[in-house]
Amino acid sequence: MSQTTWPTRPVKIIVPFAPGGTTDIMARAMAPELQNAFGQPFVVENRAGAGGNIGADVVARAAPDGYTLLMGTVGTHGINKSLYSRMTFDPQKDFAPITLVAGVPNVMVVNAEKAKAAGINNVADFIRVAKANPGKLNMASSGNGTSIHMAGELFKTMSGTYMIHFPYGGSSPALMSLASGDMDVMFDNLPSSMQLIKSGRLKALAVTSAQRSPALPDVPTVEEAGGPAFKGFEASSWFGLLAPAGTPPDIISRIQQEAAKSLKTPAIKEKLLAQGAVPGGNTPAQFTDFINAEHKKWAQVVKTSGAKVD
């Protein structure tokens, strides 16, 4: 497909998680920008399930013509290959990376009312309660193998606690369960938790990044809050655009250039920073190297945690 003809019809951005989560927020921030740049609708379609694998598989099998894109995540392209015993696609071979859209820390959030009743004000309090009640605390996630799930597994391993994991079909339903008191803790992506933290329904105990987030400057990192046992703890998330392998390089390049341009605009930049996300915009080659490095890092985390999904 030549540079002059694409796009002549709407382009789909597949979000492999439920509406309302951070992956969905990122896709819906980018879609109007790309629509303005290319003069064709960019339509967001949610295809949730299997920790992002269902939606990613749809894109891996789509025609490599630039009309089906994926808002991929650290789950679909960094974690799942090591976690799932059976994969219907190869996250490294079956995709053409376009650009990193944003990186975000995860945040350890608890139900504010339940935390108050249990005397949980910080990470040390949480660990004390979890150790006194092994297997009685419920940990929500947006799905098996997501960074939200793996951040929790890493926390369990490093803190020596045992909690029951409940995977949902996306951040939004998991957060609703946490806010209503059915769940006790979640290591959610910061942007999707932000409103519930601000409203006081959820209490943020720590961020999972190496540094504090400018969006929540008073909230410590897990390493700061947890002490020596958590040295080197880092489990951040990221989101990026990918196309099926074999998509013409000129189409990849044009999408990357427009996406990078929009990520530099004050409006999008401020929108993302306010959510706790750091805008991306790297080249396809840089994004490919980044994905390969993330795959290596998370393979080690999966191995250490002993997590597996059949």
Side-chain angles (χ1 to χ4, degrees):
M1 196 143 313
S2 80
Q3 199 157 315
T4 47
T5 59
W6 182 90
T8 56
R9 55 188 167 87
V11 176
K12 256 196 302 206
I13 301 177
I14 302 283
V15 168
F17 295 98
T22 303
T23 319
D24 189 60
I25 291 169
M26 295 299 160
R28 290 180 196 278
M30 289 308 296
E33 299 293 316
L34 295 171
Q35 189 164 312
N36 291 341
F38 293 109
Q40 286 288 346
F42 275 67
V43 183
V44 175
E45 190 179 297
N46 298 83
R47 299 290 289 269
N53 285 347
I54 288 172
D57 182 64
V58 168
V59 180
R61 292 170 189 271
D65 55 11
Y67 289 100
T68 310
L69 307 177
L70 177 74
M71 185 57 79
T73 70
V74 61
T76 60
H77 282 76
I79 298 170
N80 290 2
K81 196 175 174 181
S82 306
L83 188 73
Y84 282 80
S85 51
R86 287 185 296 275
M87 292 277 283
T88 53
F89 62 90
D90 186 310
Q92 286 159 296
K93 291 180 186 155
D94 294 340
F95 292 87
I98 300 171
T99 192
L100 179 73
V101 171
V104 306
N106 287 16
V107 60
M108 181 182 181
V109 280
V110 290
N111 179 290
E113 277 181 26
K114 286 177 92 173
K116 195 177 179 184
I120 296 172
N121 294 302
N122 51 42
V123 171
D125 289 342
F126 181 87
I127 293 170
R128 177 178 48 74
V129 171
K131 283 188 168 172
N133 299 279
K136 288 185 184 164
L137 296 189
N138 298 329
M139 180 181 89
S141 86
S142 56
N144 281 316
T146 57
S147 75
I148 296 168
H149 170 206
M150 294 315 298
E153 292 296 340
L154 189 59
F155 183 89
K156 281 158 67 174
T157 302
M158 291 175 91
S159 62
T161 54
Y162 174 60
M163 298 175 269
I164 306 289
H165 172 227
F166 286 84
Y168 286 76
S171 260
S172 209
L175 283 169
M176 288 307 105
S177 259
L178 183 63
S180 67
D182 295 336
M183 294 286 125
D184 297 294
V185 66
M186 186 172 169
F187 292 78
D188 191 35
N189 303 146
L190 183 50
S192 41
S193 275
M194 200 56 128
Q195 286 313 112
L196 287 165
I197 294 167
K198 282 183 174 164
S199 71
R201 290 179 72 191
L202 296 185
K203 183 176 174 63
L205 298 183
V207 289
T208 64
S209 44
Q211 277 90 34
R212 291 191 182 203
S213 167
L216 291 175
D218 298 334
V219 176
T221 66
V222 170
E223 185 174 339
E224 280 177 316
F230 288 95
K231 187 160 172 53
F233 186 102
E234 191 189 353
S236 297
S237 299
W238 52 262
F239 307 86
L241 285 168
L242 303 104
T247 300
D250 61 321
I251 292 177
I252 299 283
S253 170
R254 288 173 66 205
I255 299 170
Q256 186 273 331
Q257 284 166 18
E258 293 301 340
K261 209 184 284 177
S262 71
L263 286 164
K264 284 191 180 83
T265 61
I268 288 278
K269 223 175 171 175
E270 278 159 31
K271 196 177 191 178
L272 294 184
L273 290 169
Q275 302 261 20
V278 179
N282 58 3
T283 66
Q286 288 165 336
F287 191 28
T288 302
D289 290 345
F290 176 76
I291 287 171
N292 293 338
E294 283 289 285
H295 173 67
K296 244 188 192 157
K297 171 191 156 176
W298 285 102
Q300 199 47 55
V301 174
V302 171
K303 197 177 168 188
T304 307
S305 75
K308 265 281 167 251
V309 181
D310 292 323

